[in-house]
Structures are given as structure tokens and as C-alpha cells.
Amino acid sequence: FSKSGIPLYSSLLWDEGLGTIFGMATDGCGNAYFVSGTEGTPPMITSDALFTSNQGKADVFIMKLAPTCDRITYATCFGGPNAEVGSSIAVDAEGNIFFAGTSSSNVGAHYRYPLVHAFQDSIKGDVDIFLTKLTADGHSIVFSTWIGGSEWDTPQGGLSIDDDGNVYLAGI
């Protein structure tokens, strides 16, 4: 919708296995970003995706749409061997993609949720929060970490990036 309430466009690009879209963000160029979870490999995964297939029981699904919502620019699954669900997404001024959610994939150093430059390198409870930053093209992980304690930890939709690139995550 425009700022005056006029519909600009709408599109149905979803697939049966994707479930609910839990988060959406836009960038300064008008691209739209979505995060959800998937139990399979969605048919709209792009050939240049970081992961081109589901990595476990359920994965995070990230999708970037062109400003007119008529073309998928980028789509990937992201996860480990157990269950992940993405709940929040944000984009910084450079177009880097941040997303957060919950995961239970901590089954050893080589078979778990992908971690890079992790602040916390293992799950502390049954389910912890993950926070991941991808490059603007979605091809590389800048950082990816666990956040949590001994309880079941979940973000509640509050993810934002300030003008200095600092990340704020709420709902732990």
C-alpha cells in the first residue's frame, strides 16, 4: 500500500510446505524480504542460494522479492539437522540480511545450525535463539550465533538495525 492507502501490488508466491510468513522487511530500494519455516525444499529456491535444499526436519526459509513483487531475487533454506523456524527479519542500509528464530540443531561441530563468528557456540537449553547475518547477495554468512540460556528461548518478532549497524533483538 502507498502512504495514502492505495494498493501498489500484491502477489501469491507461497507454497504448501512453507507455512506462515513470520517476518517481513523492506530495503531502501523497495525489495521485500520474508522469513518463515519449511519442512521441505520449496520449489522457488534460487540456483545461487547458500543452501539449495532443506538441511533437516524443518528449516528457515528466506526470500527476497524485486520491488514490483514480480520476481524472486533470492530464496534459500537455512538450518541444521533438527528444527528451525525464522521469526524475524531486518535489512541494514547496505542490504545485508539479518534474521532470527529458534533452533534445536546442536548435534556436534560439523552437523548443526551453521555458526560463523559465534558469540555463543552451543545451545544452552533444549531450544535457543539464533541470529544470523547474510551478505546483501545472500551468498555468505557474515556471522551466525546462538543466544540463550537453560530455558526454552524464543525471539518475539523484535529485530531491528540502527543507522550504525547495531542489531537489536527482543523477546528472549
Side-chain angles (χ1 to χ4, degrees):
F1 288 86
S2 71
K3 59 186 172 184
S4 61
I6 307 291
L8 299 174
Y9 56 83
S10 68
S11 181
L12 177 61
L13 292 169
W14 223 234
D15 183 78
E16 193 173 303
L18 291 176
T20 303
I21 296 174
F22 291 111
M24 180 186 166
T26 58
D27 64 20
C29 297
N31 296 297
Y33 301 79
F34 301 92
V35 65
S36 73
T38 181
E39 292 182 356
T41 299
M44 67 276 284
I45 297 290
T46 53
S47 61
D48 63 343
L50 189 59
F51 297 102
T52 55
S53 65
N54 188 300
Q55 304 297 299
K57 294 177 184 173
D59 277 358
V60 177
F61 178 70
I62 304 292
M63 182 168 58
K64 176 182 177 182
L65 294 180
T68 55
C69 204
D70 63 346
R71 181 175 50 89
I72 298 171
T73 304
Y74 179 78
T76 190
C77 289
F78 199 94
N82 287 335
E84 288 78 36
V85 175
S87 59
S88 305
I89 192 164
V91 182
D92 69 11
E94 287 81 39
N96 296 303
I97 306 161
F98 297 77
F99 58 96
T102 57
S103 175
S104 60
S105 290
N106 191 35
V107 189
H110 300 290
Y111 196 57
R112 64 178 178 186
Y113 186 84
L115 300 175
V116 174
H117 306 295
F119 163 74
Q120 179 180 321
D121 63 2
S122 65
I123 285 182
K124 303 294 185 192
D126 290 335
V127 173
D128 274 356
I129 295 168
F130 62 80
L131 175 64
T132 300
K133 176 183 179 181
L134 300 179
T135 54
D137 61 9
H139 296 154
S140 299
I141 304 168
V142 177
F143 72 78
S144 185
T145 190
W146 297 111
I147 304 169
S150 61
E151 300 298 320
W152 187 298
D153 303 300
T154 60
Q156 298 298 317
L159 175 63
S160 63
I161 316 301
D162 69 17
D163 292 340
D164 294 326
N166 298 307
V167 182
Y168 300 88
L169 180 63
I172 298 173

